[in-house]
Amino acid sequence: MLSDSGWTGRKFLQETLYRDSHIKVEEEPKTRVCGVCEPNQTLIPLPEINKIAVDPVIFWDALDDRQTIRTYSDEEMHKWELSLLLHYTQGVREKKNGSHFRTVPSAGALHPFETRIIVNRVSGLEPGIYRYLPLDHALVHEECHSGDHQSLCHVCKNPNLISSSAISFIWTAVPERMIWKFGPRGWRYLFIEAGHICQNLYVACAALSLGVCAIGSYNDDDINCILGIDGDSEFCIYLASVGKIK
Ligand SMILES: Cc1cc2nc3c(=O)[nH]c(=O)nc-3n(C[C@H](O)[C@H](O)[C@H](O)COP(=O)(O)O)c2cc1C
């Protein structure tokens, strides 16, 4: 006899089994394809990736050094470090035939996520919430729908993870961007792809000697409410905190 949670999982797997008939031929929906600037928002450009000089790192060492770190120093992070982390988690590496290929894979190259960051300590950036615009490699400032950026600490089971971080990542999924093409199967891809993004963040942080912690234990309703998203057409899928190592 399956427990309730076992049953929920089985039902999810059953209802998202691969079926060719689910592949759609509909037009891509007109929802924001990925972070797009609203008319009243000012673009905050990030340091260009090809102009950032980083110390060379042995790739295998970065993979070996990947680990979760939950306590951070009070030191500020540099904007160029933030620029690299955003690029290697959701940045665009190539535009071809109307598609945007990024530093992470995505089924159908559809990239169904939005990236917001909570900034506590980054040189040259006011604390607050920002959204990343991958096509511009820039940020825009965002207002909280309720409370302020510090309210976001309390959505986590361990509030220190966000309050002590220099920055925290909030990834939200816009399912319509995936479902129009892959039908129910697309739901699986959302969760798989969130994992790709966070793993890239871990490896990039290892290469830059930054601490990072993936966060799955957060209050969904609270975070969606603070961000002003409905939890249905867009919902928070994953978080991570980052900071200088103590
Ligand atoms: C999906 C997922 C969710 C996680 N959620 C949390 C979390 O909410 N809080 C936390 O402190 N660590 C969280 N972690 C980090 C794990 O606890 C950590 O990866 C684990 O202890 C293994 O340590 P390592 O990453 O150093 O190998 C999460 C990791 C994953 C992959």
Side-chain angles (χ1 to χ4, degrees):
M1 178 87 172
L2 284 169
S3 65
D4 280 354
S5 62
W7 174 242
T8 305
R10 290 279 169 86
K11 200 163 171 228
F12 175 78
L13 292 179
Q14 194 60 38
E15 293 190 359
T16 57
L17 287 174
Y18 184 82
R19 291 191 181 92
D20 278 341
S21 58
H22 284 151
I23 304 289
K24 307 263 178 78
V25 286
E26 289 165 20
E27 283 282 298
E28 191 161 358
K30 295 280 179 274
T31 49
R32 289 182 313 205
V33 168
C34 57
V36 171
C37 190
E38 307 291 343
N40 60 343
Q41 290 179 309
T42 310
L43 280 190
I44 306 166
L46 288 160
E48 285 177 51
I49 294 301
N50 54 13
K51 294 195 177 147
I52 300 172
V54 277
D55 291 337
V57 174
I58 296 172
F59 176 72
W60 308 114
D61 288 348
L63 288 183
D64 274 336
D65 291 346
R66 182 221 64 82
Q67 62 174 308
T68 296
I69 293 178
R70 297 185 178 82
T71 47
Y72 311 111
S73 81
D74 292 339
E75 225 182 309
E76 278 193 332
M77 259 177 64
H78 300 286
K79 230 194 214 172
W80 62 263
E81 291 172 311
L82 173 62
S83 177
L84 285 172
L85 296 184
L86 286 165
H87 177 71
Y88 287 108
T89 48
Q90 276 291 268
V92 175
R93 63 174 176 80
E94 193 183 1
K95 295 177 194 169
K96 203 171 54 187
N97 306 330
S99 291
H100 307 120
F101 296 90
R102 309 231 190 146
T103 52
V104 286
S106 172
L110 294 175
H111 298 288
F113 301 112
E114 291 290 327
T115 304
R116 291 176 182 78
I117 50 167
I118 307 167
V119 171
N120 288 329
R121 286 184 308 282
V122 176
S123 55
L125 266 187
E126 285 297 312
I129 302 191
Y130 298 81
R131 195 155 53 86
Y132 177 53
L133 311 187
L135 290 171
D136 302 290
H137 192 57
L139 296 171
V140 283
H141 186 258
E142 294 237 307
E143 296 298 332
C144 288
H145 200 252
S146 66
D148 58 19
H149 76 281
Q150 277 152 348
S151 334
L152 283 163
C153 305
H154 303 288
V155 303
C156 292
K157 190 170 167 240
N158 175 0
N160 284 338
L161 282 177
I162 292 185
S163 63
S164 72
S165 70
I167 51 166
S168 293
F169 286 74
I170 305 171
W171 294 291
T172 61
V174 182
E176 191 187 21
R177 289 181 192 160
M178 190 57 90
I179 306 309
W180 72 272
K181 180 156 189 180
F182 293 110
R185 185 74 169 183
W187 286 96
R188 290 201 198 194
Y189 299 160
L190 298 177
F191 297 93
I192 293 169
E193 293 188 14
H196 292 310
I197 295 176
C198 197
Q199 175 68 6
N200 265 26
L201 180 67
Y202 264 85
V203 177
C205 283
L208 294 169
S209 300
L210 294 166
V212 54
C213 179
I215 306 173
S217 47
Y218 56 85
N219 184 306
D220 303 77
D221 290 340
D222 287 355
I223 191 160
N224 291 335
C225 176
I226 295 173
L227 296 179
I229 56 178
D230 62 12
D232 185 41
S233 64
E234 182 175 357
F235 65 92
C236 177
I237 194 162
Y238 212 3
L239 282 88
S241 55
V242 175
K244 297 270 183 183
I245 298 173
K246 261 193 178 165

